[in-house]
Amino acid sequence: MAGDWEIVIGLEVHAQITVKAKLFSGAATAFGAQPNAQVSLVDAGMPGMLPVLNGAVVRHAVRTGLALGAVINLHSVFARKNYFYPDMPQGYQISQYELPIVGEGELTIELADGGTRTVGIERLHLEQDAGKSLHDQHPNKSYIDLNRSGVALMEIVSKPDMRSAAEAAAYVTKLRAILRTIGSCDGNMQEGSLRCDANVSVRRPGASLGLRCEIKNLNSIRFMRDAIEYEAARQIAVIEAGGKVAQETRLYDPDSGETRSMRSKEDEQDYRYFSDPDLLPLNLDQSYVDELRDTLPELPDARKQRFMADHGLSSYDSSLLVADRETADYFEAVADGRDAKLAANWVISEMPAQLNRTGNALACSPVAADALGGLIDLIADGTISNSIAKDVLSDMFDSGKPAAAIVKERGLEQVSDSGALEAAVAKVMTDNPERVADYRAGNNKLLGWFMGQIMQASQGKANPQLVNQLLREKLAG
Ligand code: ADP
Ligand code: MG
């Protein structure tokens, strides 16, 4: 709500399906290949080529539909959507129109106030991606890279059920977690495997839907939020100034933080859709769908509930852990037989920091779950402190050695011997009589300073709980 306006948002998400070949050809789809290295004659739109449907793509689309609790249409049809793009040599995109493979479903999002909202899914259909025009390679020529041409996409269309940029962000986050969990899309927005078009309109609460603008190709959740907020404010300003919102397609410019008009919105008839005569209708058996339903992995919502119930984790931490299957599996392996909250903290904060530093993905982390578990065991039994453990983890990433070996080699064991600690406390107190007097006169904040001195002198190895306890005793006089 902005003043007495309500923002209405519907999202179209384009998700690249994780398969090695394209939707209708055997060409490869790996990211980062040389331009035009992955283009078959079908993808190049050569006359007389025939598309052949990739069965793995169909499997992923059905599994995704099932994960969204959606209707699976046993009969669906591929249609030609006719339009011209220089990087789309066929002159049409093969998509699905009246009869998509997946019909209505729903997705539950968590709201900031702890509540939930169910967002309707309108449909999920299969379509080809287009190639890419490169305008920055030559001063007065554009180049074309067809590697993406014909790559299999799922377009997942929501109902206009979201009411704020934050809800839209929660929707994309949840959708991405589901796609990653079932493995139908890697969800990588930077590489363009997940892109989002945001439809935004505004209305007085209770009024019928306003005219929408569609902001194309948002490739990060933050850009999407900013674009929606800017666009809603722009529309409100237009209407409040007595104008009318034009239904159009707009582009978001992250540098200026503004959306600008790209073209007036095409009508459906502009595309002259018709069923593709090169492709038979897609007919699925119910038994095929049932088998895919039976073999779906545990979905993020269910897994999250289980993490909260079995491990006593917060809703927030659980959501982070179930964002993809690897992280959730990794966490479960680390938490097995250990303090789950400690395990969650390390998986959520320290691991990503190290993975980031060393440029690794969790799936190929040099520190496997049992190795991190070994480190956590050393914290739990008091061998090392939490802050020393961070340093040990970094060392584990660099050296590949187990935590215990590093602690031993570098002599990092925590000092919990009360004799040694008492001596350290006594020394700091003798060296700093005026601070002791100050503390005793009521300056309690100095406790932190004393702690700092002892931790520093021990190179972080003194057991902080014991030091704290001893200091309080001795300083009390
Ligand atoms: P198009 O092909 O025109 O993009 P789609 O059916 O693919 O149409 O997608 C329409 C999207 O716009 C859906 O996500 C839908 O929820 C959303 N939408 C429709 N009407 C409105 C509206 N008034 N305000 C905001 N979003 C809307
Ligand atoms: Mg659309």
Side-chain angles (χ1 to χ4, degrees), residues 8 10-12 123 157-160 199 201 210 212 214 265:
V8 175
L11 296 176
E12 296 162 70
R123 66 172 193 276
V157 183
S158 86
K159 301 203 173 182
N199 294 271
S201 66
R212 70 182 153 118
E214 177 174 357
K265 177 81 190 158

Side-chain angles (χ1 to χ4, degrees), residues 19 33 43 79 96 126-127 131 157 165 168 196 214 226 256 266 297 315 325 339 345 351 364 402 404 444 458:
V19 280
D43 313 317
Q96 296 188 301
L126 288 168
E127 63 182 30
V157 183
C196 191
E214 177 174 357
D226 292 350
S256 65
E266 348 26 37
S315 161
R325 199 171 165 184
D339 177 346
N345 287 344
M351 282 297 293
C364 41
N444 292 335
S458 74

Side-chain angles (χ1 to χ4, degrees), residues 17 39 92 165 223 235 250 290 324 327 352 435-436 454 475:
I17 301 178
V39 188
Y92 56 85
F223 289 167
Q235 293 181 12
R250 299 178 70 86
D290 292 341
D324 60 82
T327 307
R435 285 203 158 83
V436 174
I454 292 173
L475 283 170

Side-chain angles (χ1 to χ4, degrees), residues 136-153:
D136 55 359
Q137 308 283 312
H138 188 278
N140 46 27
K141 286 182 186 164
S142 285
Y143 290 153
I144 287 180
D145 175 7
L146 293 180
N147 281 350
R148 292 197 73 99
S149 171
V151 159
L153 304 179

Side-chain angles (χ1 to χ4, degrees), residues 224-264:
M224 182 188 73
R225 291 180 75 132
D226 292 350
I228 291 172
E229 261 153 24
Y230 174 87
E231 179 57 20
R234 185 191 72 83
Q235 293 181 12
I236 291 168
V238 167
I239 301 171
E240 286 188 342
K244 277 210 167 73
V245 173
Q247 178 149 337
E248 60 185 358
T249 302
R250 299 178 70 86
L251 274 186
Y252 176 68
D253 177 0
D255 295 327
S256 65
E258 295 173 358
T259 65
R260 63 189 154 76
S261 180
M262 184 164 109
R263 55 171 189 254
S264 68

